[in-house]
Amino acid sequence: MHIERIELREVALRLKFPFRTSFGVEQDRRILLVSVFADGQEGVAECVAGEFPGYAYETTDTAWHVLKDFVAPKLLGRSFATAAELLHELRFVRGHNMAVAAVEMAFWDAQARALGVPLWQLLGGRLRDIPVGISLGIQDSIERTVELAEQSVAQGYRRVKLKIEPGWDVQMVAAVRDALPDVDLTVDANSAYRLTDAPRLRELDAFGLAYIEQPLAHDDLIDHAALQSQLATAICLDESIHSPDDARKGLAIGAGRVINLKVGRVRGHHEARRVHDIAQSFGAPVWCGGMLESGVGRAANLHLSTLDDFLMPGDTSSSSRYWDEDIVEEALEAKDGLQTVPAGPGSGVTLKRDLVERLTNRHEVLKG
Ligand code: OSB
Ligand code: MG
């Protein structure tokens, strides 16, 4: 695949509701779309960096800078047979996985389109109907939380994940569990606790949660291992896992028993597959995390979710849950808690060009 041109585009997209977590609130998304033009194909991907460095250090602006000033100059006018080759060329970029992932994922999309096959086939996936759950942000009241959790179960979602933080945990989870005794229930702290909070977190063992996601620091594995040894509930690692090595180390020391796999956080599909394979070798399930993506990123997540070790419902709920109007033509809607992987070629989604143009804040064409 000969890379002729790379385009960066920032699109403004407003979530239907403010999404609140322990690290902040997001509503007005500044979504960075990356297009890779190669062999007459356009591959498109979404960079999952946020507007502020709350979940990770990367932001829309740092990703733009790294892609424009360091990544694109290395790739333009060059040919790569595989995404692995492209990644090798970018090994000089330390970190900035979300920026690198965006160009890597756009490359995969272009390649799958050139071959005329859906992305999941290139990735080696097998599942076609993807079980999905919802991630429920921090609400103003417990009553409202219970109501929203009940609604999502009535809509067929297969798992409910509740965002927690100190002061918004045991009582709230108890109320949801009371209302929904059989639902697959999980919590996500986004690093809001410390190891000294272990007694508090141990109280969550009473609710039969499938896992507690990233309770401790974003850069920690050691304390998570200490905490895991004190909990009956499995810990699921999210923020702490940036690479296959992180996954190996985390699972080897017992820092968790489940991994939330986000393709952007681990540098793209190639590395995501390696994380998947490592988790599988440890007998640890993975599931596909979400980053409040538009249909572009949501579709990529669904393709990745076709791999065998995606054994738990992902955060790839219906596009219409987040957006009044998504930027892709295809509806990505869950039915009975299942999303169907878009049919190919590539990611299987097409941009609504006029809408994207209207929502574009900045656009840059990079040529060799
Ligand atoms: O921790 O999984 C997370 C959203 C933004 C940043 C981090 C997280 C999330 C979510 C929402 O939980 C997942 C989604 O539905 O896209
Ligand atoms: Mg998380």
Side-chain angles (χ1 to χ4, degrees):
M1 303 287 293
H2 181 77
I3 300 185
E4 295 129 27
R5 187 163 100 243
I6 293 174
E7 290 192 21
L8 307 181
R9 186 185 285 277
E10 183 187 318
V11 172
L13 211 55
R14 188 171 172 82
L15 289 164
K16 279 184 173 178
F17 50 85
F19 189 80
R20 185 169 155 212
T21 64
S22 65
F23 65 79
V25 185
E26 282 185 87
Q27 180 155 27
D28 286 300
R29 299 290 339 275
R30 290 173 53 204
I31 292 176
L32 170 49
L33 297 179
V34 178
S35 290
V36 168
F37 294 81
D39 293 4
Q41 300 290 331
E42 178 184 5
V44 185
E46 175 171 348
C47 177
V48 298
E51 295 71 45
F52 60 96
Y55 168 81
Y57 64 80
E58 291 186 85
T59 66
T60 308
D61 290 318
T62 69
W64 187 289
H65 162 57
V66 168
L67 285 164
K68 178 187 169 182
D69 296 326
F70 304 110
V71 170
K74 273 279 185 195
L75 304 181
L76 289 166
R78 303 278 313 277
S79 292
F80 303 97
T82 62
E85 265 184 30
L86 175 141
L87 272 183
H88 187 70
E89 191 62 29
L90 297 177
R91 67 194 181 286
F92 75 102
V93 179
R94 186 171 289 183
H96 296 281
N97 283 356
M98 294 173 181
V100 171
V103 85
E104 194 257 15
M105 293 162 75
F107 179 89
W108 277 101
D109 186 37
Q111 193 170 40
R113 285 176 198 269
L115 294 166
V117 299
L119 178 57
W120 63 267
Q121 265 182 35
L122 269 197
L123 294 174
R126 293 199 293 190
L127 313 171
R128 300 307 309 285
D129 293 313
I130 310 301
V132 297
I134 64 146
S135 175
L136 199 50
I138 294 170
Q139 306 295 320
D140 290 335
S141 71
I142 291 180
E143 293 68 37
R144 181 70 182 146
T145 309
V146 171
E147 188 187 342
L148 289 171
E150 284 175 334
Q151 273 175 24
S152 66
V153 172
Q155 287 161 3
Y157 282 112
R158 308 253 168 143
R159 176 271 273 149
V160 175
K161 168 170 126 180
L162 305 165
K163 292 290 191 178
I164 60 168
E165 65 184 1
W168 183 258
D169 47 31
V170 176
Q171 228 193 325
M172 182 274 296
V173 176
V176 174
R177 178 48 96 204
D178 211 41
L180 297 163
D182 301 321
V183 76
D184 181 349
L185 196 63
T186 74
V187 295
D188 186 358
N190 289 110
S191 301
Y193 295 83
R194 309 175 54 120
L195 187 54
T196 48
D197 295 316
R200 184 76 179 164
L201 293 166
R202 211 159 40 221
E203 288 182 53
L204 294 172
D205 276 342
F207 305 118
L209 304 176
Y211 50 79
I212 299 175
E213 187 173 337
Q214 196 73 30
L216 307 182
H218 71 94
D219 54 358
D220 168 75
L221 291 173
I222 302 292
D223 281 358
H224 277 95
L227 178 63
Q228 181 67 90
S229 71
Q230 300 175 52
L231 293 176
T233 310
I235 287 175
C236 170
L237 296 169
D238 175 351
E239 282 89 333
S240 294
I241 305 298
H242 303 280
S243 66
D245 271 346
D246 285 346
R248 173 180 57 79
K249 292 171 191 173
L251 293 169
I253 68 170
R257 301 201 288 257
V258 178
I259 290 178
N260 169 344
L261 188 40
K262 290 180 181 166
V263 57
R265 203 193 56 227
V266 304
R267 220 173 172 86
H269 285 303
H270 177 76
E271 294 291 271
R273 266 196 324 203
R274 295 180 62 214
V275 171
H276 164 278
D277 292 352
I278 285 169
Q280 195 172 36
S281 76
F282 277 88
V286 304
W287 55 275
C288 188
M291 292 289 284
L292 309 173
E293 289 96 341
S294 77
V296 175
R298 200 168 297 275
N301 288 344
L302 290 170
H303 283 274
L304 182 68
S305 303
T306 60
L307 300 180
D308 289 351
D309 199 40
F310 281 82
L311 296 169
M312 292 177 149
D315 274 347
T316 37
S317 47
S318 293
S319 164
S320 62
R321 204 173 97 77
Y322 291 109
W323 317 110
D324 283 321
E325 187 175 11
D326 204 336
I327 57 173
V328 299
E329 302 282 357
E330 294 74 13
L332 301 177
E333 298 298 296
K335 284 186 204 67
D336 193 25
L338 297 172
Q339 282 260 28
T340 305
V341 183
S347 68
V349 292
T350 23
L351 289 177
K352 291 177 180 165
R353 297 280 172 186
D354 291 349
L355 177 63
V356 167
E357 203 57 59
R358 266 185 283 132
L359 299 175
T360 295
N361 283 336
R362 51 176 168 163
H363 177 213
E364 198 155 329
V365 179
L366 307 169
K367 284 185 179 169

